[in-house]
Protein backbone atom coordinates (compact mmCIF):
# COMPACT_ATOMS: atom_id res chain seq x y z
CA UNK A 1 0.00 0.00 0.00
CA UNK A 2 1.33 3.41 -0.89
CA UNK A 3 1.57 6.07 1.80
CA UNK A 4 -1.10 8.70 0.98
CA UNK A 5 0.65 11.33 3.07
CA UNK A 6 3.81 10.87 1.03
CA UNK A 7 1.77 11.30 -2.15
CA UNK A 8 0.08 14.35 -0.60
CA UNK A 9 3.42 15.97 0.06
CA UNK A 10 4.53 15.21 -3.49
CA UNK A 11 1.32 16.69 -4.92
CA UNK A 12 1.70 19.77 -2.75
CA UNK A 13 5.09 20.38 -4.30
CA UNK A 14 3.28 21.76 -7.35
CA UNK A 15 1.47 24.41 -5.29
CA UNK A 16 2.41 27.93 -4.35
CA UNK A 17 4.17 28.14 -0.99
CA UNK A 18 1.81 29.22 1.80
CA UNK A 19 4.69 30.20 4.06
CA UNK A 20 7.74 32.33 3.37
CA UNK A 21 5.98 35.67 2.82
CA UNK A 22 6.54 35.64 -0.95
CA UNK A 23 3.11 34.54 -2.13
CA UNK A 24 1.33 37.88 -2.46
CA UNK A 25 -2.17 36.66 -3.31
CA UNK A 26 -4.47 33.92 -2.00
CA UNK A 27 -2.54 33.34 1.23
CA UNK A 28 -1.61 35.45 4.24
CA UNK A 29 1.50 34.52 6.14
CA UNK A 30 2.15 35.67 9.70
CA UNK A 31 5.76 34.52 9.40
CA UNK A 32 5.45 32.73 12.74
CA UNK A 33 5.65 28.91 12.52
CA UNK A 34 4.13 28.59 16.01
CA UNK A 35 0.90 30.15 14.75
CA UNK A 36 0.80 27.60 11.93
CA UNK A 37 1.44 24.73 14.32
CA UNK A 38 -1.41 25.78 16.61
CA UNK A 39 -3.75 26.19 13.63
CA UNK A 40 -2.85 22.75 12.27
CA UNK A 41 -3.41 21.00 15.59
CA UNK A 42 -6.73 22.73 16.23
CA UNK A 43 -7.99 21.99 12.70
CA UNK A 44 -7.00 18.35 13.07
CA UNK A 45 -8.64 18.04 16.49
CA UNK A 46 -11.97 19.34 15.15
CA UNK A 47 -11.89 18.07 11.55
CA UNK A 48 -14.73 15.61 12.17
CA UNK A 49 -16.85 17.83 14.44
CA UNK A 50 -20.00 19.34 12.99
CA UNK A 51 -21.16 22.88 13.74
CA UNK A 52 -24.54 22.03 12.20
CA UNK A 53 -26.04 21.48 15.64
CA UNK A 54 -24.84 23.85 18.38
CA UNK A 55 -26.50 21.72 21.05
CA UNK A 56 -24.53 18.68 19.94
CA UNK A 57 -21.22 20.58 19.63
CA UNK A 58 -21.52 23.40 22.16
CA UNK A 59 -17.77 23.98 22.12
CA UNK A 60 -18.02 25.18 18.52
CA UNK A 61 -20.86 27.55 19.45
CA UNK A 62 -18.72 28.91 22.25
CA UNK A 63 -15.78 29.44 19.89
CA UNK A 64 -17.99 31.14 17.29
CA UNK A 65 -19.44 33.51 19.87
CA UNK A 66 -15.97 34.35 21.21
CA UNK A 67 -14.70 35.02 17.68
CA UNK A 68 -17.61 37.33 16.96
CA UNK A 69 -17.00 39.04 20.29
CA UNK A 70 -13.37 39.69 19.35
CA UNK A 71 -14.47 41.08 15.99
CA UNK A 72 -17.09 43.30 17.65
CA UNK A 73 -14.31 45.12 19.48
CA UNK A 74 -12.36 45.61 16.25
CA UNK A 75 -15.44 46.84 14.42
CA UNK A 76 -16.67 49.30 17.08
CA UNK A 77 -19.86 47.25 17.21
CA UNK A 78 -22.60 48.30 19.62
CA UNK A 79 -23.82 45.94 22.35
CA UNK A 80 -26.74 44.97 20.12
CA UNK A 81 -24.44 43.47 17.45
CA UNK A 82 -24.63 39.81 16.43
CA UNK A 83 -22.49 37.79 14.05
CA UNK A 84 -22.06 34.53 12.21
CA UNK A 85 -18.99 32.52 11.26
CA UNK A 86 -19.16 31.66 7.56
CA UNK A 87 -16.84 29.73 5.26
CA UNK A 88 -15.23 32.77 3.62
CA UNK A 89 -15.68 36.25 2.28
CA UNK A 90 -17.88 35.17 -0.59
CA UNK A 91 -20.29 33.37 1.72
CA UNK A 92 -20.46 36.38 4.06
CA UNK A 93 -21.29 38.57 1.07
CA UNK A 94 -23.84 36.10 -0.31
CA UNK A 95 -25.60 36.12 3.05
CA UNK A 96 -25.52 39.92 3.35
CA UNK A 97 -27.23 40.17 -0.05
CA UNK A 98 -29.70 37.35 0.62
CA UNK A 99 -30.63 38.82 3.99
CA UNK A 100 -31.11 42.30 2.51
CA UNK A 101 -33.30 40.92 -0.26
CA UNK A 102 -35.43 38.77 2.03
CA UNK A 103 -35.92 41.56 4.56
CA UNK A 104 -37.81 43.46 1.86
CA UNK A 105 -40.28 40.88 0.50
CA UNK A 106 -42.49 43.66 -0.90
CA UNK A 107 -39.76 44.58 -3.43
CA UNK A 108 -40.34 42.40 -6.47
CA UNK A 109 -37.30 43.55 -8.49
CA UNK A 110 -34.62 44.16 -5.83
CA UNK A 111 -31.48 46.13 -6.66
CA UNK A 112 -28.21 46.77 -4.88
CA UNK A 113 -26.05 49.80 -5.49
CA UNK A 114 -22.33 49.15 -5.50
CA UNK A 115 -19.15 50.86 -6.62
CA UNK A 116 -17.73 49.36 -9.83
CA UNK A 117 -14.72 48.28 -7.77
CA UNK A 118 -16.73 46.08 -5.37
CA UNK A 119 -15.64 42.45 -5.18
CA UNK A 120 -16.92 39.96 -7.75
CA UNK A 121 -18.66 38.07 -4.91
CA UNK A 122 -21.43 40.68 -5.15
CA UNK A 123 -21.94 39.74 -8.80
CA UNK A 124 -22.19 36.14 -7.74
CA UNK A 125 -24.78 37.11 -5.12
CA UNK A 126 -26.69 39.09 -7.76
CA UNK A 127 -26.64 36.01 -9.98
CA UNK A 128 -27.68 33.58 -7.22
CA UNK A 129 -30.37 35.70 -5.60
CA UNK A 130 -31.82 37.64 -8.51
CA UNK A 131 -30.78 41.02 -7.16
CA UNK A 132 -29.83 43.52 -9.87
CA UNK A 133 -26.31 44.89 -9.36
CA UNK A 134 -26.35 48.61 -10.12
CA UNK A 135 -22.70 49.48 -10.74
CA UNK A 136 -21.61 53.03 -10.08
CA UNK A 137 -18.33 54.28 -11.59
CA UNK A 138 -15.66 55.25 -9.06
CA UNK A 139 -13.63 58.46 -8.99
CA UNK A 140 -10.13 58.94 -10.42
CA UNK A 141 -8.69 57.79 -7.07
CA UNK A 142 -10.61 54.49 -7.44
CA UNK A 143 -12.78 55.34 -4.42
CA UNK A 144 -16.56 55.09 -4.62
CA UNK A 145 -18.44 58.26 -5.56
CA UNK A 146 -21.05 58.71 -2.80
CA UNK A 147 -23.08 61.32 -4.70
CA UNK A 148 -23.35 59.12 -7.76
CA UNK A 149 -24.27 56.19 -5.52
CA UNK A 150 -26.98 58.25 -3.81
CA UNK A 151 -28.35 59.14 -7.25
CA UNK A 152 -28.50 55.46 -8.14
CA UNK A 153 -30.63 54.50 -5.10
CA UNK A 154 -34.37 54.09 -5.62
CA UNK A 155 -37.40 52.46 -4.00
CA UNK A 156 -36.27 49.00 -5.15
CA UNK A 157 -32.80 49.34 -3.63
CA UNK A 158 -32.39 46.82 -0.82
CA UNK A 159 -28.65 47.17 -0.20
CA UNK A 160 -25.79 49.62 -0.66
CA UNK A 161 -22.15 48.52 -0.58
CA UNK A 162 -18.81 50.06 0.32
CA UNK A 163 -15.38 48.39 0.43
CA UNK A 164 -12.76 48.74 3.15
CA UNK A 165 -10.63 48.36 1.13
CA UNK A 166 -11.39 47.28 -2.45
CA UNK A 167 -9.34 44.31 -3.60
CA UNK A 168 -8.13 45.60 -6.95
CA UNK A 169 -6.88 49.02 -5.80
CA UNK A 170 -6.56 48.69 -2.02
CA UNK A 171 -8.42 51.92 -1.22
CA UNK A 172 -11.15 52.45 1.36
CA UNK A 173 -14.39 53.94 0.07
CA UNK A 174 -15.93 57.03 1.74
CA UNK A 175 -18.08 54.90 4.02
CA UNK A 176 -19.46 57.81 6.08
CA UNK A 177 -21.03 59.48 3.05
CA UNK A 178 -22.24 56.23 1.46
CA UNK A 179 -23.81 54.97 4.70
CA UNK A 180 -25.49 58.35 5.28
CA UNK A 181 -27.01 58.24 1.79
CA UNK A 182 -28.18 54.67 2.38
CA UNK A 183 -29.73 55.61 5.74
CA UNK A 184 -31.47 58.60 4.14
CA UNK A 185 -33.06 56.13 1.70
CA UNK A 186 -33.90 53.71 4.53
CA UNK A 187 -31.64 51.09 2.95
CA UNK A 188 -29.09 48.71 4.50
CA UNK A 189 -25.40 49.49 4.02
CA UNK A 190 -22.91 46.63 4.01
CA UNK A 191 -19.20 47.31 4.38
CA UNK A 192 -17.07 44.67 2.68
CA UNK A 193 -14.07 44.62 5.00
CA UNK A 194 -13.29 41.02 4.08
CA UNK A 195 -9.65 41.82 3.41
CA UNK A 196 -9.18 44.91 5.58
CA UNK A 197 -11.35 44.32 8.60
CA UNK A 198 -8.72 42.62 10.75
CA UNK A 199 -5.87 44.97 9.87
CA UNK A 200 -7.36 48.47 9.42
CA UNK A 201 -8.22 48.85 13.14
CA UNK A 202 -4.54 48.33 13.92
CA UNK A 203 -3.50 50.70 11.11
CA UNK A 204 -5.51 53.40 12.83
CA UNK A 205 -3.87 52.57 16.17
CA UNK A 206 -0.45 52.78 14.49
CA UNK A 207 -1.33 56.32 13.48
CA UNK A 208 -1.86 55.62 9.80
CA UNK A 209 -4.62 57.62 8.12
CA UNK A 210 -7.78 55.51 7.88
CA UNK A 211 -11.18 57.02 7.10
CA UNK A 212 -14.06 55.79 9.33
CA UNK A 213 -15.55 52.53 8.07
CA UNK A 214 -16.74 50.55 11.12
CA UNK A 215 -20.05 50.47 13.03
CA UNK A 216 -18.92 53.80 14.48
CA UNK A 217 -20.26 55.17 11.18
CA UNK A 218 -24.01 55.81 11.35
CA UNK A 219 -25.93 53.85 8.77
CA UNK A 220 -23.53 50.89 8.49
CA UNK A 221 -25.77 47.89 9.07
CA UNK A 222 -23.41 44.97 8.47
CA UNK A 223 -19.70 44.26 7.95
CA UNK A 224 -17.92 41.22 6.56
CA UNK A 225 -14.40 40.47 7.77
CA UNK A 226 -12.41 37.39 6.83
CA UNK A 227 -10.47 35.65 9.53
CA UNK A 228 -8.75 33.48 6.92
CA UNK A 229 -7.02 36.59 5.61
CA UNK A 230 -5.41 39.03 8.07
CA UNK A 231 -6.37 37.13 11.23
CA UNK A 232 -3.83 34.61 9.81
CA UNK A 233 -6.28 31.79 10.52
CA UNK A 234 -6.46 28.61 8.44
CA UNK A 235 -8.64 28.77 5.34
CA UNK A 236 -12.38 28.45 5.71
CA UNK A 237 -13.65 31.25 7.95
CA UNK A 238 -15.05 34.75 7.69
CA UNK A 239 -17.41 36.70 9.93
CA UNK A 240 -20.59 38.50 8.99
CA UNK A 241 -21.53 40.95 11.74
CA UNK A 242 -24.88 42.79 11.88
CA UNK A 243 -25.58 45.90 13.91
CA UNK A 244 -28.51 44.15 15.63
CA UNK A 245 -30.28 40.80 15.69
CA UNK A 246 -33.24 42.15 13.71
CA UNK A 247 -30.99 42.78 10.72
CA UNK A 248 -29.75 39.16 10.79
CA UNK A 249 -33.20 37.58 11.03
CA UNK A 250 -33.77 37.01 7.30
CA UNK A 251 -30.45 35.16 7.09
CA UNK A 252 -31.60 32.38 9.43
CA UNK A 253 -33.13 29.33 7.77
CA UNK A 254 -35.19 26.52 9.25
CA UNK A 255 -37.02 23.71 7.52
CA UNK A 256 -39.36 21.27 9.20
CA UNK A 257 -40.86 20.37 5.82
CA UNK A 258 -39.39 16.89 5.69
CA UNK A 259 -39.36 13.83 7.94
CA UNK A 260 -35.79 14.19 9.24
CA UNK A 261 -34.29 16.60 11.78
CA UNK A 262 -35.55 20.15 11.52
CA UNK A 263 -32.84 21.88 9.55
CA UNK A 264 -31.64 25.04 11.25
CA UNK A 265 -28.86 27.11 9.73
CA UNK A 266 -27.35 30.57 9.88
CA UNK A 267 -25.24 30.10 6.75
CA UNK A 268 -25.56 28.57 3.28
CA UNK A 269 -23.87 25.43 4.60
CA UNK A 270 -25.61 22.98 6.85
CA UNK A 271 -22.92 20.53 7.95
CA UNK A 272 -19.96 22.73 8.77
CA UNK A 273 -16.59 21.28 9.66
CA UNK A 274 -15.44 22.24 13.13
CA UNK A 275 -11.86 22.30 11.82
CA UNK A 276 -11.72 25.85 10.41
CA UNK A 277 -13.72 27.25 13.35
CA UNK A 278 -11.44 25.65 15.94
CA UNK A 279 -8.34 26.55 13.92
CA UNK A 280 -9.45 30.17 13.70
CA UNK A 281 -10.42 30.36 17.35
CA UNK A 282 -7.07 28.90 18.43
CA UNK A 283 -5.10 31.30 16.24
CA UNK A 284 -7.05 34.36 17.43
CA UNK A 285 -6.74 33.22 21.04
CA UNK A 286 -2.99 32.69 20.62
CA UNK A 287 -2.21 35.95 18.79
CA UNK A 288 -4.58 38.19 20.73
CA UNK A 289 -5.00 41.92 20.40
CA UNK A 290 -1.39 42.89 21.13
CA UNK A 291 -0.11 40.17 18.80
CA UNK A 292 -2.29 41.46 15.97
CA UNK A 293 -1.02 44.97 16.60
CA UNK A 294 2.55 43.71 16.15
CA UNK A 295 1.69 41.71 13.04
CA UNK A 296 -0.07 44.74 11.55
CA UNK A 297 3.00 46.84 12.28
CA UNK A 298 5.12 44.32 10.39
CA UNK A 299 2.70 44.13 7.47
CA UNK A 300 2.55 47.93 7.14
CA UNK A 301 6.35 48.22 7.36
CA UNK A 302 6.50 45.73 4.49
CA UNK A 303 3.90 47.73 2.54
CA UNK A 304 5.92 50.92 2.95
CA UNK A 305 9.14 49.19 1.88
CA UNK A 306 7.48 47.63 -1.17
CA UNK A 307 5.87 50.93 -2.20
CA UNK A 308 9.29 52.59 -1.94
CA UNK A 309 10.85 49.88 -4.15
CA UNK A 310 8.14 50.31 -6.78
CA UNK A 311 8.41 54.08 -6.81
CA UNK A 312 12.18 53.90 -7.06
CA UNK A 313 12.06 51.60 -10.09
CA UNK A 314 11.86 53.45 -13.45
CA UNK A 315 8.87 52.32 -15.47
CA UNK A 316 6.74 51.34 -12.47
CA UNK A 317 4.20 53.22 -10.40
CA UNK A 318 1.79 52.48 -7.58
CA UNK A 319 -1.86 52.69 -8.59
CA UNK A 320 -4.08 54.44 -6.02
CA UNK A 321 -3.03 55.02 -2.43
CA UNK A 322 -2.56 51.82 -0.45
CA UNK A 323 -4.92 52.52 2.47
CA UNK A 324 -4.39 49.02 3.82
CA UNK A 325 -2.03 46.14 3.07
CA UNK A 326 -2.80 45.83 -0.65
CA UNK A 327 -0.46 47.34 -3.21
CA UNK A 328 -1.35 47.71 -6.88
CA UNK A 329 1.40 48.47 -9.33
CA UNK A 330 1.33 49.32 -12.99
CA UNK A 331 3.95 49.74 -15.69
CA UNK A 332 4.55 52.43 -18.27
CA UNK A 333 4.62 51.63 -22.00
CA UNK A 334 8.22 50.43 -21.83
CA UNK A 335 7.28 47.41 -19.75
CA UNK A 336 4.81 44.61 -20.28
CA UNK A 337 2.98 43.95 -16.97
CA UNK A 338 2.26 40.32 -17.76
CA UNK A 339 5.92 39.61 -18.55
CA UNK A 340 6.93 41.42 -15.38
CA UNK A 341 4.52 39.18 -13.45
CA UNK A 342 6.12 36.06 -14.93
CA UNK A 343 9.59 37.36 -14.15
CA UNK A 344 8.68 37.97 -10.50
CA UNK A 345 7.01 34.56 -10.27
CA UNK A 346 10.12 32.90 -11.70
CA UNK A 347 12.12 34.57 -8.89
CA UNK A 348 9.83 33.12 -6.23
CA UNK A 349 7.54 36.14 -5.83
CA UNK A 350 3.97 35.24 -6.67
CA UNK A 351 2.13 38.39 -7.70
CA UNK A 352 -1.28 38.47 -9.33
CA UNK A 353 -1.94 40.05 -12.72
CA UNK A 354 -5.10 42.14 -13.09
CA UNK A 355 -6.41 42.50 -16.65
CA UNK A 356 -7.28 45.86 -18.13
CA UNK A 357 -10.77 46.97 -17.14
CA UNK A 358 -12.61 49.74 -18.95
CA UNK A 359 -10.21 52.68 -19.16
CA UNK A 360 -7.80 51.16 -16.62
CA UNK A 361 -4.60 49.54 -17.86
CA UNK A 362 -3.56 46.10 -16.61
CA UNK A 363 -1.95 46.10 -13.20
CA UNK A 364 -0.36 43.77 -10.66
CA UNK A 365 -1.86 43.02 -7.24
CA UNK A 366 0.16 42.37 -4.08
CA UNK A 367 -1.47 41.33 -0.80
CA UNK A 368 1.30 42.02 1.70
CA UNK A 369 1.53 40.03 4.94
CA UNK A 370 3.49 40.35 8.17
CA UNK A 371 5.61 37.43 6.92
CA UNK A 372 6.71 39.48 3.91
CA UNK A 373 8.69 41.96 6.01
CA UNK A 374 11.67 39.65 6.53
CA UNK A 375 12.07 39.37 2.74
CA UNK A 376 11.63 42.91 1.45
CA UNK A 377 15.28 43.24 0.48
CA UNK A 378 14.95 40.09 -1.56
CA UNK A 379 11.81 41.60 -3.13
CA UNK A 380 13.73 44.74 -4.07
CA UNK A 381 16.40 42.67 -5.84
CA UNK A 382 13.84 40.45 -7.55
CA UNK A 383 11.90 43.51 -8.73
CA UNK A 384 14.96 45.18 -10.23
CA UNK A 385 16.00 41.99 -12.01
CA UNK A 386 12.46 41.33 -13.19
CA UNK A 387 12.07 44.83 -14.59
CA UNK A 388 15.35 44.45 -16.50
CA UNK A 389 14.33 41.03 -17.83
CA UNK A 390 10.84 42.21 -18.82
CA UNK A 391 12.28 45.25 -20.56
CA UNK A 392 14.75 43.06 -22.45
CA UNK A 393 12.00 40.62 -23.47
CA UNK A 394 9.82 43.40 -24.87
CA UNK A 395 6.04 43.44 -24.97
CA UNK A 396 3.93 40.36 -25.54
CA UNK A 397 2.08 40.61 -28.82
CA UNK A 398 -1.11 38.70 -29.43
CA UNK A 399 -1.21 37.31 -32.95
CA UNK A 400 -3.65 39.24 -35.14
CA UNK A 401 -5.21 35.97 -36.25
CA UNK A 402 -5.90 35.03 -32.62
CA UNK A 403 -7.44 38.44 -31.96
CA UNK A 404 -9.69 37.98 -34.98
CA UNK A 405 -10.58 34.46 -33.82
CA UNK A 406 -11.62 35.73 -30.39
CA UNK A 407 -13.55 38.64 -31.83
CA UNK A 408 -15.52 36.29 -34.05
CA UNK A 409 -16.63 34.14 -31.10
CA UNK A 410 -19.90 34.70 -29.25
CA UNK A 411 -19.37 34.44 -25.48
CA UNK A 412 -23.03 33.62 -24.94
CA UNK A 413 -22.77 30.45 -26.98
CA UNK A 414 -19.13 29.40 -26.77
CA UNK A 415 -18.85 25.73 -27.72
CA UNK A 416 -16.24 23.09 -26.94
CA UNK A 417 -15.18 23.30 -30.59
CA UNK A 418 -14.71 27.06 -30.31
CA UNK A 419 -12.54 26.55 -27.26
CA UNK A 420 -10.50 23.83 -28.97
CA UNK A 421 -10.16 26.08 -32.01
CA UNK A 422 -8.80 28.89 -29.87
CA UNK A 423 -6.35 26.56 -28.15
CA UNK A 424 -5.12 25.39 -31.54
CA UNK A 425 -4.99 28.90 -33.04
CA UNK A 426 -3.09 30.33 -30.10
CA UNK A 427 -0.84 27.33 -29.51
CA UNK A 428 -0.55 28.53 -25.93
CA UNK A 429 -2.36 25.90 -23.93
CA UNK A 430 -1.70 22.49 -25.37
CA UNK A 431 -3.63 19.26 -24.96
CA UNK A 432 -1.96 15.94 -24.32
CA UNK A 433 -3.10 12.78 -26.11
CA UNK A 434 -5.64 11.97 -23.43
CA UNK A 435 -7.09 15.46 -23.81
CA UNK A 436 -5.67 16.84 -20.57
CA UNK A 437 -4.76 20.51 -20.68
CA UNK A 438 -1.09 21.31 -20.47
CA UNK A 439 -0.43 24.75 -19.08
CA UNK A 440 2.51 26.81 -20.25
CA UNK A 441 5.10 27.59 -17.60
CA UNK A 442 4.82 31.28 -18.45
CA UNK A 443 1.45 32.96 -18.44
CA UNK A 444 2.19 36.31 -20.11
CA UNK A 445 0.90 35.22 -23.52
CA UNK A 446 -2.26 33.72 -22.00
CA UNK A 447 -2.91 36.87 -19.98
CA UNK A 448 -2.25 39.07 -23.02
CA UNK A 449 -4.76 37.02 -24.97
CA UNK A 450 -7.38 37.30 -22.24
CA UNK A 451 -6.64 40.99 -22.04
CA UNK A 452 -7.78 41.58 -25.62
CA UNK A 453 -11.03 39.69 -24.95
CA UNK A 454 -14.16 41.45 -23.66
CA UNK A 455 -15.15 40.79 -20.02
CA UNK A 456 -17.95 38.50 -21.21
CA UNK A 457 -15.50 36.62 -23.41
CA UNK A 458 -12.97 36.30 -20.57
CA UNK A 459 -15.69 34.78 -18.41
CA UNK A 460 -16.76 32.35 -21.14
CA UNK A 461 -13.19 31.29 -21.93
CA UNK A 462 -12.26 30.78 -18.30
CA UNK A 463 -15.41 28.77 -17.61
CA UNK A 464 -14.54 26.55 -20.59
CA UNK A 465 -11.02 26.26 -19.19
CA UNK A 466 -12.25 25.29 -15.71
CA UNK A 467 -14.61 22.77 -17.22
CA UNK A 468 -11.62 21.12 -18.89
CA UNK A 469 -9.54 21.20 -15.73
CA UNK A 470 -12.20 19.55 -13.60
CA UNK A 471 -12.35 16.09 -15.06
CA UNK A 472 -12.29 12.86 -13.07
CA UNK A 473 -9.04 10.99 -12.70
CA UNK A 474 -9.93 7.29 -12.91
CA UNK A 475 -7.81 4.57 -11.35
CA UNK A 476 -6.06 2.35 -13.90
CA UNK A 477 -8.13 -0.81 -14.55
C1 LIG B 1 -12.70 42.86 -0.49
C2 LIG B 1 -12.97 41.39 -0.66
N1 LIG B 1 -14.22 40.93 -0.57
C3 LIG B 1 -14.51 39.63 -0.71
C4 LIG B 1 -13.52 38.70 -0.95
C5 LIG B 1 -13.88 37.25 -1.17
O1 LIG B 1 -13.33 36.45 -0.17
P1 LIG B 1 -13.17 34.87 -0.34
O2 LIG B 1 -12.16 34.65 -1.41
O3 LIG B 1 -12.72 34.45 1.03
O4 LIG B 1 -14.48 34.28 -0.69
C6 LIG B 1 -12.19 39.14 -1.05
C7 LIG B 1 -11.11 38.20 -1.34
O5 LIG B 1 -9.97 38.58 -1.55
C8 LIG B 1 -11.91 40.52 -0.88
O6 LIG B 1 -10.66 40.99 -1.00
Amino acid sequence: MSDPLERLRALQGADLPVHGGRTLAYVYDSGDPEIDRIAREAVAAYAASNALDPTAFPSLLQMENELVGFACDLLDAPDTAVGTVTSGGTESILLAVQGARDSRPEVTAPRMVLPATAHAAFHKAAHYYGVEAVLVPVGPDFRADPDAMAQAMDDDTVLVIASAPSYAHGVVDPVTEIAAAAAAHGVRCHVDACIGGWVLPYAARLGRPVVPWTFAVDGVTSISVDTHKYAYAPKGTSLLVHRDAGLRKAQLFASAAWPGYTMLNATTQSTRSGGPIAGTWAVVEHIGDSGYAELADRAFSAVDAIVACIEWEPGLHVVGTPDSTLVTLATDDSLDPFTLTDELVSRGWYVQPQLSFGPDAPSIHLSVSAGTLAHVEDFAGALTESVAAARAAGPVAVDAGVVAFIEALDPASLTDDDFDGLLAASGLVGASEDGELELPSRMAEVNAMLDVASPAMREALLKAFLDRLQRPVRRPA
Side-chain angles (χ1 to χ4, degrees):
M1 258 201 309
S2 67
D3 176 359
L5 295 181
E6 207 174 290
R7 172 111 202 277
L8 212 60
R9 280 188 287 275
L11 285 171
Q12 208 168 18
D15 296 350
L16 288 173
V18 297
H19 302 303
R22 292 177 174 83
T23 303
L24 303 185
Y26 307 122
V27 301
Y28 306 83
D29 181 18
S30 67
D32 180 349
E34 180 62 3
I35 293 174
D36 303 321
R37 185 190 66 79
I38 287 169
R40 266 197 312 275
E41 287 194 16
V43 169
Y46 272 83
S49 304
N50 193 343
L52 163 59
D53 183 346
T55 64
F57 294 90
S59 67
L60 288 170
L61 175 67
Q62 181 70 25
M63 287 185 246
E64 290 199 40
N65 285 340
E66 290 186 22
L67 280 171
V68 173
F70 193 105
C72 280
D73 290 341
L74 289 182
L75 303 177
D76 303 317
D79 291 344
T80 52
V82 295
T84 308
V85 178
T86 73
S87 63
T90 298
E91 191 183 22
S92 291
I93 286 168
L94 290 175
L95 290 169
V97 175
Q98 174 266 321
R101 181 197 68 173
D102 291 349
S103 68
R104 299 277 302 279
E106 77 285 2
V107 179
T108 52
R111 307 163 85 230
M112 61 178 160
V113 172
L114 60 162
T117 47
H119 194 274
F122 290 100
H123 297 273
K124 190 176 198 177
H127 176 65
Y128 279 13
Y129 299 129
V131 176
E132 185 193 347
V134 180
L135 290 183
V136 179
V138 296
D141 57 358
F142 303 102
R143 294 178 214 279
D145 175 345
D147 294 333
M149 287 182 69
Q151 293 275 317
M153 296 173 202
D154 67 10
D155 291 347
D156 291 335
T157 306
V158 297
L159 186 64
V160 172
I161 283 108
S163 308
S166 61
Y167 183 84
H169 303 102
V171 298
V172 178
D173 287 331
V175 175
T176 303
E177 293 80 357
I178 294 168
H185 276 79
V187 174
R188 293 178 180 216
C189 175
H190 178 80
V191 176
D192 175 9
C194 281
I195 204 159
W198 217 273
V199 76
L200 286 171
Y202 297 102
R205 281 196 225 166
L206 287 165
R208 299 176 78 91
V210 181
V211 299
W213 60 275
T214 63
F215 286 108
V217 176
D218 285 341
V220 170
T221 53
S222 59
I223 300 179
S224 48
V225 48
D226 294 356
T227 26
H228 66 192
K229 293 191 171 82
Y230 284 99
Y232 299 108
K235 286 287 180 254
T237 58
S238 163
L239 307 178
L240 174 60
V241 182
H242 285 96
R243 187 179 279 278
D244 62 52
L247 289 160
R248 183 176 61 177
K249 237 177 203 154
Q251 176 192 319
L252 306 180
F253 180 82
S255 178
W258 73 307
Y261 58 87
T262 299
M263 189 192 247
L264 177 62
N265 304 142
T267 71
T268 60
Q269 295 183 309
S270 194
T271 281
R272 283 189 301 146
S273 170
I277 298 169
T280 301
W281 178 87
V283 165
V284 171
E285 188 75 1
H286 173 72
I287 298 177
D289 190 58
S290 58
Y292 281 115
E294 276 171 40
L295 288 170
D297 197 6
R298 295 179 71 73
F300 285 114
S301 298
V303 166
D304 292 344
I306 284 173
V307 165
C309 291
I310 294 167
E311 282 172 349
W312 180 83
E313 205 64 59
L316 299 186
H317 60 274
V318 173
V319 180
T321 313
D323 285 336
S324 188
T325 47
L326 314 180
V327 179
T328 308
L329 76 92
T331 58
D332 68 18
D333 291 345
S334 67
L335 265 179
D336 179 68
F338 302 130
T339 306
L340 178 62
T341 300
D342 281 351
E343 292 297 336
L344 279 163
V345 171
S346 73
R347 288 169 178 79
W349 285 91
Y350 183 83
V351 296
Q352 189 180 51
Q354 301 189 132
L355 301 180
S356 58
F357 188 72
D360 303 327
S363 57
I364 302 177
H365 170 99
L366 284 64
S367 287
V368 179
S369 294
T372 309
L373 183 63
H375 310 287
V376 286
E377 270 183 37
D378 181 64
F379 177 81
L383 188 65
T384 301
E385 282 177 26
S386 299
V387 164
R391 191 161 277 133
V396 178
V398 185
D399 183 83
V402 173
V403 176
F405 194 102
I406 293 174
E407 279 170 358
L409 295 174
D410 177 5
S413 57
L414 190 81
T415 64
D416 279 352
D417 285 349
D418 292 337
F419 189 63
D420 286 332
L422 181 62
L423 293 187
S426 68
L428 294 177
V429 180
S432 63
E433 267 174 26
D434 55 6
E436 217 175 283
L437 285 187
E438 285 176 352
L439 297 178
S441 57
R442 293 174 69 88
M443 294 300 289
E445 285 79 4
V446 175
N447 285 319
M449 186 176 78
L450 287 171
D451 204 60
V452 298
S454 66
M457 197 62 207
R458 291 172 190 170
E459 291 166 0
L461 289 173
L462 289 172
K463 283 196 276 185
F465 174 63
L466 183 60
D467 175 59
R468 292 297 171 89
L469 288 180
Q470 294 196 326
R471 293 292 161 97
V473 177
R474 304 281 183 110
R475 286 162 200 276

